[in-house]
Amino acid sequence: MKTIRVEVKGGKATFDFEGFAGDSCSDEEKTIRLFLGQLGVKTDEESTEKKTDPEAVRLVERERA
Amino acid sequence: MSSIVMLRVALDTPDLIADLLSQLQVINPAMAQFIQSLDPIPLIKECAQNTIDFLASESLTGIKKQDFVSNGRINTSTWDGVPLIGALSHYKFPDGVGVLVMADGAIKFVADDGRDYCGRIDYITRLFKEAFTAQAIKTILEIMDYQVVLNQRLENNTVVASLEGVKL
């Protein structure tokens, strides 16, 4: 299961991706940002914090096995 | 890997961001093609309408929905031949601010700013932009097959939106 949580406040949108294996969350973020541009919502990435999601790591290890 | 990404957002004319498009064409060509061929205007209009409905439903904003803007003498529901998506008024600014989606997809606001004594135009348009962003993200996630729950509220004169999208 993949989950995206988004907080929009004061002209900023914060995305939190869970359950994405490897760099697939980054691919999903790019898709959303491209879509947003098509709807006229311009975005600049302000900061990105990567963190290890134990479930995602397990998924990757399972795929490799 | 989980990633938290913070974006600064602003409303503008629809645009395919070239570097993101070229990256997505490598990662997911079918999705890139789909986004490229998408007509954004109906989606923008739907999001704008939902945004107006949300702001009018929040009693804390003091905002009401109407289908015209006024200059105190004449009410109009069009601007330069373009029909308003809707308009938002405030008890301190009953003339209202009209919302237009132009032929190029840009969202424009129209109002008689000469009669805006309390800075309500800026207040209404700022809340609109904040709420529209949340509506746009909800629409996008739904197109991407997520089951989405959107909660929006007003806190300290700012729209605060929480979305959760789940894909099995």
Side-chain angles (χ1 to χ4, degrees), chain A residues 1-8 10-17 20 22 27-31 37-38 40-44 46-49 51 56, chain B residues 1-15 20 23-24 27 31 35 38 40 140 144 146 158-167:
Chain A
M1 189 173 76
K2 295 174 178 175
T3 304
I4 299 178
R5 293 188 186 85
V6 190
E7 295 287 328
V8 182
K12 289 180 182 174
T14 307
F15 290 80
D16 189 358
F17 299 85
F20 289 79
D27 301 342
E28 203 79 334
E29 176 222 320
K30 286 171 185 162
T31 304
Q38 266 294 63
V41 181
K42 296 288 181 290
T43 57
D44 292 315
E46 188 170 82
S47 63
T48 302
E49 176 193 330
K51 64 180 183 183
Chain B
M1 180 82 74
S2 178
S3 175
I4 297 174
V5 181
M6 185 177 285
L7 307 172
R8 284 183 291 258
V9 297
L11 299 188
D12 207 340
T13 308
D15 182 30
L20 282 176
Q23 289 177 53
L24 196 62
I27 299 162
M31 180 61 84
I35 296 174
L38 188 73
I140 289 164
M144 293 169 70
Y146 285 87
T158 297
V159 175
V160 178
S162 303
L163 297 99
E164 182 171 275
V166 176
K167 191 194 286 188

Short mmCIF file of all heavy atoms in Angstrom, two decimals, chain A residues 1-8 10-17 20 22 27-31 37-38 40-44 46-49 51 56, chain B residues 1-15 20 23-24 27 31 35 38 40 140 144 146 158-167:
data_model
loop_
_atom_site.label_atom_id
_atom_site.label_comp_id
_atom_site.label_asym_id
_atom_site.label_seq_id
_atom_site.Cartn_x
_atom_site.Cartn_y
_atom_site.Cartn_z
N MET A 1 0.84 -1.20 0.00
CA MET A 1 0.00 0.00 0.00
C MET A 1 0.88 1.26 0.00
O MET A 1 1.86 1.32 0.72
CB MET A 1 -0.89 0.01 1.25
CG MET A 1 -1.93 1.09 1.23
SD MET A 1 -3.10 0.97 2.59
CE MET A 1 -2.11 1.58 3.96
N LYS A 2 0.51 2.21 -0.85
CA LYS A 2 1.26 3.47 -0.93
C LYS A 2 0.39 4.59 -0.37
O LYS A 2 -0.81 4.67 -0.66
CB LYS A 2 1.62 3.78 -2.38
CG LYS A 2 2.59 2.78 -3.00
CD LYS A 2 2.78 3.09 -4.47
CE LYS A 2 3.77 2.13 -5.08
NZ LYS A 2 3.91 2.34 -6.53
N THR A 3 1.02 5.44 0.41
CA THR A 3 0.29 6.55 1.01
C THR A 3 1.04 7.85 0.78
O THR A 3 2.27 7.91 0.94
CB THR A 3 0.12 6.34 2.54
OG1 THR A 3 -0.52 5.09 2.76
CG2 THR A 3 -0.71 7.45 3.16
N ILE A 4 0.29 8.86 0.36
CA ILE A 4 0.86 10.21 0.25
C ILE A 4 0.06 11.12 1.17
O ILE A 4 -1.16 11.18 1.08
CB ILE A 4 0.78 10.74 -1.19
CG1 ILE A 4 1.56 9.85 -2.15
CG2 ILE A 4 1.31 12.17 -1.27
CD1 ILE A 4 1.48 10.28 -3.61
N ARG A 5 0.78 11.78 2.06
CA ARG A 5 0.13 12.77 2.93
C ARG A 5 0.63 14.15 2.53
O ARG A 5 1.84 14.34 2.30
CB ARG A 5 0.44 12.51 4.40
CG ARG A 5 -0.18 11.22 4.91
CD ARG A 5 -0.04 11.06 6.41
NE ARG A 5 -0.54 9.76 6.80
CZ ARG A 5 0.18 8.64 6.77
NH1 ARG A 5 1.45 8.68 6.41
NH2 ARG A 5 -0.36 7.48 7.10
N VAL A 6 -0.28 15.07 2.42
CA VAL A 6 0.08 16.42 1.98
C VAL A 6 -0.51 17.44 2.96
O VAL A 6 -1.69 17.34 3.32
CB VAL A 6 -0.48 16.73 0.57
CG1 VAL A 6 0.12 18.03 0.04
CG2 VAL A 6 -0.21 15.59 -0.40
N GLU A 7 0.31 18.36 3.38
CA GLU A 7 -0.15 19.50 4.19
C GLU A 7 0.03 20.76 3.35
O GLU A 7 1.13 20.99 2.83
CB GLU A 7 0.67 19.63 5.48
CG GLU A 7 0.53 18.47 6.45
CD GLU A 7 -0.81 18.45 7.17
OE1 GLU A 7 -1.37 19.54 7.43
OE2 GLU A 7 -1.28 17.33 7.45
N VAL A 8 -1.02 21.52 3.20
CA VAL A 8 -0.93 22.79 2.47
C VAL A 8 -1.20 23.91 3.47
O VAL A 8 -2.26 23.92 4.11
CB VAL A 8 -1.95 22.86 1.32
CG1 VAL A 8 -1.80 24.19 0.56
CG2 VAL A 8 -1.77 21.69 0.36
N GLY A 10 -0.19 28.21 4.18
CA GLY A 10 0.56 29.44 3.93
C GLY A 10 1.36 29.45 2.64
O GLY A 10 2.49 29.93 2.62
N GLY A 11 0.77 28.91 1.57
CA GLY A 11 1.46 28.94 0.28
C GLY A 11 2.53 27.89 0.14
O GLY A 11 3.36 27.96 -0.78
N LYS A 12 2.53 26.92 1.01
CA LYS A 12 3.50 25.83 0.90
C LYS A 12 2.78 24.49 1.00
O LYS A 12 1.81 24.35 1.74
CB LYS A 12 4.57 25.91 2.00
CG LYS A 12 5.53 27.06 1.81
CD LYS A 12 6.56 27.12 2.91
CE LYS A 12 7.48 28.32 2.70
NZ LYS A 12 8.41 28.50 3.81
N ALA A 13 3.27 23.54 0.25
CA ALA A 13 2.71 22.19 0.29
C ALA A 13 3.83 21.24 0.69
O ALA A 13 4.90 21.25 0.11
CB ALA A 13 2.16 21.79 -1.08
N THR A 14 3.56 20.45 1.72
CA THR A 14 4.56 19.50 2.19
C THR A 14 4.05 18.08 1.91
O THR A 14 2.96 17.72 2.34
CB THR A 14 4.81 19.67 3.70
OG1 THR A 14 5.13 21.04 3.95
CG2 THR A 14 5.96 18.80 4.15
N PHE A 15 4.84 17.32 1.18
CA PHE A 15 4.47 15.96 0.80
C PHE A 15 5.25 14.95 1.64
O PHE A 15 6.45 15.10 1.84
CB PHE A 15 4.81 15.70 -0.68
CG PHE A 15 3.92 16.45 -1.63
CD1 PHE A 15 4.16 17.79 -1.91
CD2 PHE A 15 2.87 15.82 -2.26
CE1 PHE A 15 3.34 18.49 -2.78
CE2 PHE A 15 2.05 16.51 -3.14
CZ PHE A 15 2.28 17.85 -3.40
N ASP A 16 4.56 13.93 2.08
CA ASP A 16 5.20 12.84 2.82
C ASP A 16 4.79 11.53 2.16
O ASP A 16 3.60 11.22 2.08
CB ASP A 16 4.76 12.88 4.28
CG ASP A 16 5.57 11.90 5.14
OD1 ASP A 16 6.44 11.19 4.59
OD2 ASP A 16 5.32 11.85 6.35
N PHE A 17 5.76 10.82 1.66
CA PHE A 17 5.49 9.58 0.92
C PHE A 17 5.82 8.38 1.80
O PHE A 17 6.89 8.32 2.39
CB PHE A 17 6.36 9.52 -0.35
CG PHE A 17 6.10 10.64 -1.32
CD1 PHE A 17 6.73 11.87 -1.17
CD2 PHE A 17 5.24 10.48 -2.39
CE1 PHE A 17 6.51 12.91 -2.06
CE2 PHE A 17 5.01 11.52 -3.29
CZ PHE A 17 5.64 12.73 -3.12
N PHE A 20 6.78 3.57 -0.52
CA PHE A 20 7.37 3.58 -1.86
C PHE A 20 8.75 2.94 -1.81
O PHE A 20 9.57 3.34 -1.00
CB PHE A 20 7.49 5.01 -2.39
CG PHE A 20 6.17 5.63 -2.74
CD1 PHE A 20 5.35 6.17 -1.75
CD2 PHE A 20 5.74 5.68 -4.06
CE1 PHE A 20 4.14 6.73 -2.07
CE2 PHE A 20 4.52 6.25 -4.39
CZ PHE A 20 3.72 6.77 -3.39
N GLY A 22 12.51 2.07 -2.92
CA GLY A 22 13.61 2.73 -3.61
C GLY A 22 13.34 4.21 -3.82
O GLY A 22 12.89 4.93 -2.92
N ASP A 27 10.00 9.65 -8.05
CA ASP A 27 9.32 9.63 -9.35
C ASP A 27 7.87 10.11 -9.20
O ASP A 27 7.37 10.86 -10.04
CB ASP A 27 9.31 8.20 -9.93
CG ASP A 27 10.71 7.66 -10.13
OD1 ASP A 27 11.66 8.46 -10.14
OD2 ASP A 27 10.86 6.42 -10.27
N GLU A 28 7.23 9.69 -8.12
CA GLU A 28 5.84 10.10 -7.90
C GLU A 28 5.75 11.61 -7.65
O GLU A 28 4.84 12.28 -8.13
CB GLU A 28 5.27 9.33 -6.68
CG GLU A 28 3.76 9.22 -6.65
CD GLU A 28 3.22 8.15 -7.58
OE1 GLU A 28 3.89 7.83 -8.57
OE2 GLU A 28 2.12 7.63 -7.30
N GLU A 29 6.73 12.12 -6.91
CA GLU A 29 6.76 13.56 -6.66
C GLU A 29 6.90 14.34 -7.96
O GLU A 29 6.23 15.36 -8.17
CB GLU A 29 7.93 13.88 -5.71
CG GLU A 29 8.13 15.35 -5.44
CD GLU A 29 9.59 15.74 -5.45
OE1 GLU A 29 10.41 14.97 -4.94
OE2 GLU A 29 9.91 16.81 -6.00
N LYS A 30 7.76 13.85 -8.86
CA LYS A 30 7.95 14.54 -10.14
C LYS A 30 6.67 14.52 -10.96
O LYS A 30 6.31 15.50 -11.61
CB LYS A 30 9.09 13.87 -10.94
CG LYS A 30 10.45 14.18 -10.38
CD LYS A 30 11.52 13.36 -11.03
CE LYS A 30 12.86 13.63 -10.35
NZ LYS A 30 13.86 12.61 -10.63
N THR A 31 5.96 13.39 -10.91
CA THR A 31 4.69 13.29 -11.64
C THR A 31 3.69 14.30 -11.10
O THR A 31 3.03 15.00 -11.86
CB THR A 31 4.11 11.86 -11.48
OG1 THR A 31 5.07 10.92 -11.94
CG2 THR A 31 2.83 11.71 -12.28
N GLY A 37 1.85 21.77 -12.52
CA GLY A 37 2.16 22.79 -13.51
C GLY A 37 1.09 22.87 -14.58
O GLY A 37 0.72 23.96 -15.03
N GLN A 38 0.56 21.71 -14.97
CA GLN A 38 -0.49 21.67 -15.99
C GLN A 38 -1.79 22.30 -15.48
O GLN A 38 -2.64 22.69 -16.26
CB GLN A 38 -0.78 20.22 -16.40
CG GLN A 38 -0.03 19.73 -17.61
CD GLN A 38 -0.43 20.43 -18.90
OE1 GLN A 38 -0.25 21.62 -19.05
NE2 GLN A 38 -0.94 19.69 -19.85
N GLY A 40 -1.66 24.92 -13.53
CA GLY A 40 -1.32 26.31 -13.24
C GLY A 40 -0.75 26.55 -11.86
O GLY A 40 -0.59 27.69 -11.45
N VAL A 41 -0.46 25.47 -11.13
CA VAL A 41 0.13 25.62 -9.80
C VAL A 41 1.64 25.44 -9.94
O VAL A 41 2.12 24.34 -10.20
CB VAL A 41 -0.43 24.59 -8.80
CG1 VAL A 41 0.18 24.79 -7.42
CG2 VAL A 41 -1.95 24.71 -8.72
N LYS A 42 2.33 26.55 -9.85
CA LYS A 42 3.78 26.52 -9.99
C LYS A 42 4.42 26.13 -8.66
O LYS A 42 3.98 26.57 -7.60
CB LYS A 42 4.31 27.89 -10.41
CG LYS A 42 3.82 28.32 -11.78
CD LYS A 42 4.50 27.51 -12.89
CE LYS A 42 4.03 27.94 -14.26
NZ LYS A 42 2.64 27.57 -14.56
N THR A 43 5.44 25.32 -8.73
CA THR A 43 6.09 24.86 -7.50
C THR A 43 7.60 25.02 -7.60
O THR A 43 8.18 24.82 -8.65
CB THR A 43 5.79 23.37 -7.24
OG1 THR A 43 6.23 22.61 -8.37
CG2 THR A 43 4.32 23.13 -7.00
N ASP A 44 8.18 25.39 -6.50
CA ASP A 44 9.63 25.35 -6.35
C ASP A 44 9.91 24.46 -5.17
O ASP A 44 9.31 24.63 -4.11
CB ASP A 44 10.22 26.74 -6.04
CG ASP A 44 10.08 27.67 -7.22
OD1 ASP A 44 10.39 27.22 -8.33
OD2 ASP A 44 9.65 28.82 -7.02
N GLU A 46 11.55 23.49 -2.03
CA GLU A 46 12.28 24.26 -1.03
C GLU A 46 13.27 23.38 -0.27
O GLU A 46 14.41 23.73 -0.07
CB GLU A 46 11.30 24.89 -0.04
CG GLU A 46 11.97 25.84 0.91
CD GLU A 46 10.95 26.64 1.71
OE1 GLU A 46 10.46 26.08 2.70
OE2 GLU A 46 10.65 27.77 1.34
N SER A 47 12.81 22.24 0.14
CA SER A 47 13.72 21.36 0.87
C SER A 47 13.20 19.93 0.77
O SER A 47 12.01 19.70 0.64
CB SER A 47 13.80 21.76 2.34
OG SER A 47 12.54 21.61 2.95
N THR A 48 14.10 19.03 0.78
CA THR A 48 13.73 17.62 0.72
C THR A 48 14.44 16.90 1.85
O THR A 48 15.65 17.00 2.00
CB THR A 48 14.16 16.99 -0.61
OG1 THR A 48 13.55 17.71 -1.67
CG2 THR A 48 13.72 15.53 -0.69
N GLU A 49 13.66 16.23 2.64
CA GLU A 49 14.25 15.45 3.72
C GLU A 49 13.99 13.98 3.42
O GLU A 49 12.86 13.54 3.33
CB GLU A 49 13.60 15.83 5.05
CG GLU A 49 14.09 15.01 6.22
CD GLU A 49 13.18 15.20 7.44
OE1 GLU A 49 12.60 16.28 7.57
OE2 GLU A 49 13.06 14.25 8.22
N LYS A 51 14.19 10.13 4.47
CA LYS A 51 14.32 9.34 5.69
C LYS A 51 14.06 7.88 5.35
O LYS A 51 13.35 7.58 4.39
CB LYS A 51 13.35 9.84 6.77
CG LYS A 51 11.90 9.67 6.41
CD LYS A 51 11.01 10.19 7.52
CE LYS A 51 9.54 9.95 7.19
NZ LYS A 51 8.63 10.48 8.17
N ALA A 56 9.54 0.23 3.52
CA ALA A 56 10.04 0.35 2.15
C ALA A 56 11.33 -0.44 1.98
O ALA A 56 11.54 -1.09 0.96
CB ALA A 56 10.26 1.81 1.80
N MET B 1 12.42 3.94 1.17
CA MET B 1 12.75 5.36 1.31
C MET B 1 11.47 6.17 1.37
O MET B 1 10.60 6.00 0.54
CB MET B 1 13.61 5.79 0.11
CG MET B 1 14.02 7.24 0.13
SD MET B 1 15.46 7.56 1.15
CE MET B 1 16.76 6.87 0.12
N SER B 2 11.37 7.00 2.36
CA SER B 2 10.27 7.93 2.43
C SER B 2 10.83 9.34 2.25
O SER B 2 11.94 9.61 2.65
CB SER B 2 9.57 7.83 3.79
OG SER B 2 8.53 8.77 3.86
N SER B 3 10.07 10.17 1.62
CA SER B 3 10.60 11.49 1.31
C SER B 3 9.60 12.56 1.71
O SER B 3 8.42 12.43 1.45
CB SER B 3 10.87 11.57 -0.19
OG SER B 3 11.27 12.86 -0.54
N ILE B 4 10.09 13.59 2.35
CA ILE B 4 9.24 14.73 2.67
C ILE B 4 9.71 15.91 1.83
O ILE B 4 10.88 16.27 1.85
CB ILE B 4 9.31 15.09 4.17
CG1 ILE B 4 8.78 13.92 4.99
CG2 ILE B 4 8.49 16.35 4.46
CD1 ILE B 4 8.94 14.10 6.48
N VAL B 5 8.82 16.45 1.06
CA VAL B 5 9.17 17.50 0.11
C VAL B 5 8.31 18.72 0.38
O VAL B 5 7.09 18.62 0.45
CB VAL B 5 8.92 17.03 -1.34
CG1 VAL B 5 9.30 18.12 -2.32
CG2 VAL B 5 9.72 15.77 -1.62
N MET B 6 8.94 19.84 0.57
CA MET B 6 8.17 21.07 0.77
C MET B 6 8.29 21.93 -0.47
O MET B 6 9.38 22.15 -0.99
CB MET B 6 8.68 21.85 1.98
CG MET B 6 7.82 23.07 2.28
SD MET B 6 8.37 23.93 3.76
CE MET B 6 7.76 22.84 5.02
N LEU B 7 7.16 22.40 -0.94
CA LEU B 7 7.13 23.19 -2.16
C LEU B 7 6.52 24.55 -1.89
O LEU B 7 5.55 24.66 -1.16
CB LEU B 7 6.27 22.50 -3.23
CG LEU B 7 6.60 21.05 -3.57
CD1 LEU B 7 5.54 20.48 -4.48
CD2 LEU B 7 7.96 20.96 -4.24
N ARG B 8 7.09 25.57 -2.50
CA ARG B 8 6.42 26.88 -2.54
C ARG B 8 5.49 26.85 -3.74
O ARG B 8 5.87 26.39 -4.80
CB ARG B 8 7.45 28.00 -2.70
CG ARG B 8 8.21 28.32 -1.45
CD ARG B 8 9.14 29.49 -1.71
NE ARG B 8 10.22 29.08 -2.61
CZ ARG B 8 11.45 28.79 -2.22
NH1 ARG B 8 11.76 28.86 -0.96
NH2 ARG B 8 12.38 28.44 -3.08
N VAL B 9 4.29 27.33 -3.57
CA VAL B 9 3.33 27.22 -4.67
C VAL B 9 2.75 28.59 -5.03
O VAL B 9 2.66 29.48 -4.19
CB VAL B 9 2.18 26.25 -4.33
CG1 VAL B 9 2.70 24.85 -4.13
CG2 VAL B 9 1.41 26.71 -3.11
N ALA B 10 2.40 28.74 -6.31
CA ALA B 10 1.75 29.96 -6.80
C ALA B 10 0.91 29.59 -8.01
O ALA B 10 1.20 28.61 -8.69
CB ALA B 10 2.79 30.99 -7.18
N LEU B 11 -0.14 30.36 -8.27
CA LEU B 11 -0.99 30.09 -9.42
C LEU B 11 -0.49 30.87 -10.63
O LEU B 11 -0.08 32.01 -10.52
CB LEU B 11 -2.44 30.49 -9.14
CG LEU B 11 -3.13 29.78 -7.99
CD1 LEU B 11 -4.60 30.14 -7.95
CD2 LEU B 11 -2.98 28.27 -8.11
N ASP B 12 -0.55 30.22 -11.79
CA ASP B 12 -0.04 30.85 -13.01
C ASP B 12 -0.71 30.18 -14.20
O ASP B 12 -1.60 29.35 -14.05
CB ASP B 12 1.48 30.67 -13.07
CG ASP B 12 2.15 31.77 -13.87
OD1 ASP B 12 1.47 32.42 -14.68
OD2 ASP B 12 3.36 31.97 -13.70
N THR B 13 -0.26 30.50 -15.39
CA THR B 13 -0.76 29.85 -16.60
C THR B 13 -0.28 28.40 -16.62
O THR B 13 0.87 28.14 -16.26
CB THR B 13 -0.22 30.58 -17.85
OG1 THR B 13 -0.50 31.96 -17.71
CG2 THR B 13 -0.87 30.05 -19.11
N PRO B 14 -1.13 27.45 -17.03
CA PRO B 14 -0.69 26.06 -17.10
C PRO B 14 0.58 25.92 -17.95
O PRO B 14 0.72 26.58 -18.97
CB PRO B 14 -1.87 25.35 -17.79
CG PRO B 14 -3.04 26.17 -17.43
CD PRO B 14 -2.56 27.59 -17.38
N ASP B 15 1.47 25.09 -17.49
CA ASP B 15 2.76 24.97 -18.16
C ASP B 15 3.34 23.59 -17.91
O ASP B 15 3.32 23.10 -16.78
CB ASP B 15 3.70 26.05 -17.60
CG ASP B 15 5.05 26.05 -18.29
OD1 ASP B 15 5.10 25.68 -19.48
OD2 ASP B 15 6.05 26.39 -17.64
N LEU B 20 11.06 18.57 -15.83
CA LEU B 20 10.28 17.50 -15.19
C LEU B 20 9.69 16.57 -16.26
O LEU B 20 9.67 15.35 -16.09
CB LEU B 20 9.14 18.10 -14.37
CG LEU B 20 9.48 18.68 -13.00
CD1 LEU B 20 8.25 19.31 -12.37
CD2 LEU B 20 10.05 17.60 -12.07
N GLN B 23 12.34 14.27 -17.59
CA GLN B 23 12.65 13.22 -16.59
C GLN B 23 11.55 12.16 -16.55
O GLN B 23 11.82 10.96 -16.50
CB GLN B 23 12.81 13.84 -15.21
CG GLN B 23 14.08 14.66 -15.05
CD GLN B 23 14.15 15.31 -13.68
OE1 GLN B 23 14.03 14.67 -12.65
NE2 GLN B 23 14.36 16.61 -13.66
N LEU B 24 10.30 12.62 -16.60
CA LEU B 24 9.18 11.67 -16.52
C LEU B 24 9.07 10.83 -17.79
O LEU B 24 8.65 9.68 -17.74
CB LEU B 24 7.86 12.43 -16.28
CG LEU B 24 6.70 11.57 -15.80
CD1 LEU B 24 7.00 10.92 -14.45
CD2 LEU B 24 5.41 12.37 -15.70
N ILE B 27 11.22 7.96 -16.95
CA ILE B 27 10.72 7.15 -15.83
C ILE B 27 9.41 6.44 -16.19
O ILE B 27 9.24 5.25 -15.93
CB ILE B 27 10.47 8.04 -14.59
CG1 ILE B 27 11.75 8.72 -14.12
CG2 ILE B 27 9.88 7.22 -13.45
CD1 ILE B 27 11.49 9.92 -13.21
N MET B 31 2.71 7.93 -18.59
CA MET B 31 2.18 9.01 -17.76
C MET B 31 2.58 10.37 -18.34
O MET B 31 1.77 11.31 -18.37
CB MET B 31 2.68 8.87 -16.31
CG MET B 31 2.18 9.96 -15.38
SD MET B 31 0.38 10.03 -15.21
CE MET B 31 0.10 8.78 -13.95
N ILE B 35 -0.10 13.24 -19.41
CA ILE B 35 -0.12 14.60 -18.88
C ILE B 35 0.02 15.63 -20.01
O ILE B 35 -0.65 16.66 -20.02
CB ILE B 35 0.98 14.80 -17.81
CG1 ILE B 35 0.70 13.88 -16.60
CG2 ILE B 35 1.05 16.26 -17.35
CD1 ILE B 35 1.80 13.87 -15.55
N LEU B 38 -3.25 16.06 -21.83
CA LEU B 38 -4.39 16.44 -20.99
C LEU B 38 -4.87 17.86 -21.27
O LEU B 38 -4.05 18.77 -21.39
CB LEU B 38 -3.95 16.33 -19.53
CG LEU B 38 -5.00 16.50 -18.45
CD1 LEU B 38 -5.91 15.28 -18.39
CD2 LEU B 38 -4.31 16.70 -17.10
N PRO B 40 -6.21 20.82 -19.58
CA PRO B 40 -6.32 21.19 -18.17
C PRO B 40 -7.51 22.09 -17.85
O PRO B 40 -7.89 22.21 -16.69
CB PRO B 40 -5.01 21.93 -17.90
CG PRO B 40 -4.63 22.53 -19.21
CD PRO B 40 -5.14 21.59 -20.26
N ILE B 140 -5.40 15.72 -8.79
CA ILE B 140 -4.27 15.02 -9.39
C ILE B 140 -4.11 13.62 -8.79
O ILE B 140 -3.94 12.63 -9.50
CB ILE B 140 -2.97 15.83 -9.19
CG1 ILE B 140 -3.01 17.08 -10.08
CG2 ILE B 140 -1.73 14.99 -9.49
CD1 ILE B 140 -2.00 18.13 -9.70
N MET B 144 -4.41 9.89 -10.46
CA MET B 144 -3.34 8.89 -10.33
C MET B 144 -3.80 7.66 -9.54
O MET B 144 -2.98 6.89 -9.05
CB MET B 144 -2.12 9.55 -9.65
CG MET B 144 -1.47 10.63 -10.49
SD MET B 144 -0.26 11.61 -9.57
CE MET B 144 1.06 10.41 -9.34
N TYR B 146 -5.34 7.33 -6.62
CA TYR B 146 -5.33 7.30 -5.15
C TYR B 146 -6.76 7.53 -4.64
O TYR B 146 -7.53 8.28 -5.25
CB TYR B 146 -4.42 8.41 -4.59
CG TYR B 146 -2.95 8.11 -4.72
CD1 TYR B 146 -2.26 8.46 -5.88
CD2 TYR B 146 -2.25 7.48 -3.71
CE1 TYR B 146 -0.90 8.19 -6.02
CE2 TYR B 146 -0.89 7.21 -3.83
CZ TYR B 146 -0.23 7.56 -4.99
OH TYR B 146 1.11 7.29 -5.12
N THR B 158 -5.58 31.69 7.54
CA THR B 158 -4.85 30.92 6.52
C THR B 158 -5.58 29.60 6.31
O THR B 158 -6.06 28.99 7.27
CB THR B 158 -3.41 30.64 7.00
OG1 THR B 158 -2.73 31.88 7.16
CG2 THR B 158 -2.65 29.78 6.01
N VAL B 159 -5.65 29.18 5.05
CA VAL B 159 -6.23 27.87 4.76
C VAL B 159 -5.22 26.80 5.11
O VAL B 159 -4.07 26.86 4.67
CB VAL B 159 -6.63 27.75 3.28
CG1 VAL B 159 -7.12 26.34 2.96
CG2 VAL B 159 -7.71 28.77 2.93
N VAL B 160 -5.64 25.85 5.93
CA VAL B 160 -4.80 24.71 6.26
C VAL B 160 -5.49 23.47 5.70
O VAL B 160 -6.65 23.20 6.04
CB VAL B 160 -4.61 24.57 7.79
CG1 VAL B 160 -3.77 23.34 8.10
CG2 VAL B 160 -3.96 25.82 8.35
N ALA B 161 -4.80 22.76 4.84
CA ALA B 161 -5.40 21.59 4.21
C ALA B 161 -4.55 20.36 4.49
O ALA B 161 -3.32 20.42 4.45
CB ALA B 161 -5.51 21.80 2.70
N SER B 162 -5.22 19.27 4.80
CA SER B 162 -4.54 17.98 4.97
C SER B 162 -5.16 17.00 3.98
O SER B 162 -6.38 16.85 3.95
CB SER B 162 -4.73 17.43 6.39
OG SER B 162 -4.27 18.35 7.33
N LEU B 163 -4.32 16.38 3.19
CA LEU B 163 -4.80 15.37 2.25
C LEU B 163 -4.11 14.06 2.56
O LEU B 163 -2.92 14.04 2.92
CB LEU B 163 -4.47 15.73 0.80
CG LEU B 163 -5.08 16.98 0.21
CD1 LEU B 163 -4.09 18.12 0.24
CD2 LEU B 163 -5.52 16.72 -1.23
N GLU B 164 -4.84 12.98 2.42
CA GLU B 164 -4.22 11.66 2.49
C GLU B 164 -4.70 10.86 1.29
O GLU B 164 -5.90 10.70 1.09
CB GLU B 164 -4.57 10.93 3.78
CG GLU B 164 -3.87 9.58 3.86
CD GLU B 164 -4.01 8.91 5.21
OE1 GLU B 164 -3.22 9.22 6.10
OE2 GLU B 164 -4.92 8.09 5.35
N GLY B 165 -3.75 10.43 0.48
CA GLY B 165 -4.06 9.59 -0.67
C GLY B 165 -3.51 8.20 -0.46
O GLY B 165 -2.35 8.04 -0.08
N VAL B 166 -4.35 7.20 -0.70
CA VAL B 166 -3.94 5.81 -0.49
C VAL B 166 -4.18 5.04 -1.78
O VAL B 166 -5.24 5.14 -2.40
CB VAL B 166 -4.74 5.15 0.66
CG1 VAL B 166 -4.37 3.68 0.80
CG2 VAL B 166 -4.50 5.89 1.96
N LYS B 167 -3.16 4.29 -2.17
CA LYS B 167 -3.27 3.42 -3.35
C LYS B 167 -2.86 2.01 -2.94
O LYS B 167 -1.77 1.82 -2.38
CB LYS B 167 -2.34 3.91 -4.46
CG LYS B 167 -2.59 3.22 -5.81
CD LYS B 167 -1.47 3.46 -6.79
CE LYS B 167 -1.48 4.86 -7.34
NZ LYS B 167 -0.50 5.03 -8.46
#
